[in-house]
């Protein structure tokens, strides 16, 4: 059995779940988000009170959709922040980032504040680019800064496998389980030849994307 990771010494370290809350349904995919936080907490040997986390989400009220950010620190303290959820853009422009991900980095499997590369890349998005796409050190497609990637090559929606080095996204897991997508190793050539490209996460759903030249 793989040895558990340890939370970084950084006192600001948190596990994160970002999800949408909607007046007609409450926290969208809430159970899946809490399950993922629980798995990461167990791996990192962090205390996690799922009932308390569920209570925080259940207690949200709003007449309009919200963006919710649930965090868990190394002591087991949960916190919830909410903000208005703005409408999705009709399309994103995406480009391949020059940095590369190490496919065997175990931190890629956990959504946490340990994401300096993603944050710095997103903060430096060139004008006209809405999302960076990352490759791994072997040249295979991985994920975006805040999204998983889905490619339509004419054989349904394809998404990179976890072994490529990426976060097990909640929307991604739901689509795989429903047979709406399947895992395949993908390359930049697949992006260039794709009938359609989508970036997606649980908060936003799927957003149609167009690949542009990297800046």
């Amino acid at each position: 059995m793989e040895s558990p990771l340890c939370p970084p010494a950084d006192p600001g370290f948190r596990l994160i779940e970002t999800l949408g809350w909607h007046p007609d349904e409450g926290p969208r995919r809430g159970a899946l988000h809490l399950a993922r936080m629980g798995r990461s907490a167990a791996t990192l040997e962090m205390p996690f009170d799922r009932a308390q986390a569920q209570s925080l989400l259940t207690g949200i009220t709003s007449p309009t959709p919200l963006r919710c950010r649930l965090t868990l620190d190394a002591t087991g303290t949960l916190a919830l922040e909410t903000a208005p959820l703005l409408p999705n853009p009709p399309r994103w422009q995406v480009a391949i980032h020059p940095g590369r991900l190490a496919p065997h980095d175990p931190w890629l499997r956990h959504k946490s504040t340990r994401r300096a590369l993603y944050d710095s890349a997103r903060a430096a998005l060139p004008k006209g680019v809405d999302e960076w796409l990352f490759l791994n050190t072997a040249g295979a497609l991985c994920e975006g800064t805040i999204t998983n990637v889905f490619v339509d090559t004419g054989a349904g929606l394809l998404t990179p496998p976890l072994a490529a080095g990426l976060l097990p996204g909640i929307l991604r897991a739901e689509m795989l389980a429903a047979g709406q997508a399947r895992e395949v190793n993908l390359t930049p050539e697949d992006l260039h030849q794709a009938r359609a490209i989508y970036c997606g996460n649980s908060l936003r759903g799927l957003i149609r994307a167009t690949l542009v030249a990297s800046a």
Side-chain angles (χ1 to χ4, degrees), residues 181-215:
R182 58 191 177 92
E183 293 180 317
V184 174
N185 286 309
L186 297 169
T187 68
E189 189 63 25
D190 294 308
L191 291 174
H192 289 290
Q193 296 181 356
R195 294 184 178 182
I197 301 169
Y198 299 89
C199 293
N201 58 31
S202 182
L203 180 68
R204 292 291 180 185
L206 291 181
I207 298 174
R208 185 74 179 264
T210 299
L211 182 67
V212 298
S214 301

Side-chain angles (χ1 to χ4, degrees), residues 140-163:
L141 181 64
C142 295
E143 61 185 345
T145 63
I146 58 172
T147 58
N148 288 120
V149 186
F150 302 85
V151 177
D152 181 1
T153 62
L157 289 181
L158 309 177
T159 192
L162 294 181

